[in-house]
Amino acid sequence: MIKTPLIFAATSDLAGKTRGKAFPVADLAKRAKRGVGWTPTNVMITCFDTIAESPFGSLGDLLLIPDEEAAVELDFEDGGPVERIMLGDITDLDRRPWDFCTRSLLKAALKRLKDVGGISLVSAFEHEFQFKTGGDQPGGAFGHSVFSERRVFGETLMAALEQSGLGADTFMKEYGANQFEVTNDPAQGHRSADQAVILREVTRMTAQRLGEDVTFTPIRDPAGVGNGVHIHLSFLDDSGEPATYDAEGVAGMSQATGSFIAGVLKYLDSIIALTAPSDVSYLRLTPHRWSAAYNNLGFRDREASVRICPVTAQDSSSVARQYNFEYRAADATASPHLALAAIIHAGAQGIEDALPAPQVTEEDLSTLSADALAERGYVRLPETLAEALQRFEDNATVRAWFPADFAAVYTAHKRGELAALEGKDTAARCVAYEEVY
Ligand code: GLU
Ligand code: MG
């Protein structure tokens, strides 16, 4: 069969979907300069392909400019086509970053972190997902036999991640029904978010090539566990030395880390609409699911929104290099770029305001009364997307981290998504999301 190999130029949009347009490989040099055409109203396409009320209407033109440094060329060597994806930035026709380009928003947040804290970010995304194919496997939690059934998948996926330049870290059978987890290597700056987008697509493509079907939806069954995205963060100083750890700090936090996490916790209820942005995200963010229900920092506690992770090293310079914390209140309905941008802005605000390092919890906060929680500065996180959107919209500090119209456009998009679910009960909503993520 004749063919002209194509590159898919892609953006991770407000719906957390990877969308774009393809062009012939032979045109790359031209397209890397001129981009491919893009349309403002595309940003209002919800995850269900409905179009939320758009301020742009049919007007305007944009460019999606593929970034050769965010290119993936993946040959599964199964006789099928070579996959080529290139993430890019959306600009206006004068090449200025577009206000609703998630990748550009992340770059701006990283710049702010550098400016206020003198630090740059290293991060890694840990993804949980579930197979929709293959039937139930009772008794399979962390089990070898279920792992073994998916060994071919896992080994193909690891090879595909390596070929895509992500670095394969681990693949494991998670606790939930048909649930697995995949992690790739950490990366600097916006690259880790690029890699999270690629990891999701590579996982889906691997499944497709093997006749399987997977979902990254936050929760399939409200009686079961959810699929989280845990974002591990650490910092480097100007000379490239680790800047996250201080042996003298509270639970080992450096001053910058303490203020950063304090900022994340302070603004968590107002940014969660960006990191856990679907209707069903809030079924997952409930106590005793090992996700996140309160704005607390836990020391090695998997029920906390932010957790200080264990280190295995003994000597202090290796500890400083390994030391990291994870943000657990995220899921794969969020664009990795947008989720990370929101977390970084909250942290940068904490550094700017010189917030003191938070206390570390090692207890079950769900047993405390609302008064007892409030006394210690904790809040129950929003319990619905509608409430989360309202908190984002009402928080002038948080709104101001983004371009002027961003909050209005984002909340309109998300309210359009909620409108598409009207009349559906919880089970039908779960089905709707697992079909599209
Ligand atoms: N599945 C849990 C979540 O929804 C996380 C379990 C774990 O700690 O890996 O975040
Ligand atoms: Mg896990």
Side-chain angles (χ1 to χ4, degrees), residues 39 57 294 303 374:
T39 309
Y294 302 90
E303 283 265 344

Side-chain angles (χ1 to χ4, degrees), residues 128 174 181 226 228 230 284 289-291 302 328:
E128 294 171 337
E174 249 287 359
E181 178 178 307
H230 303 158
R284 169 180 167 256
R289 241 181 244 281
W290 288 24
S291 59
R302 291 185 168 79
R328 297 175 65 84

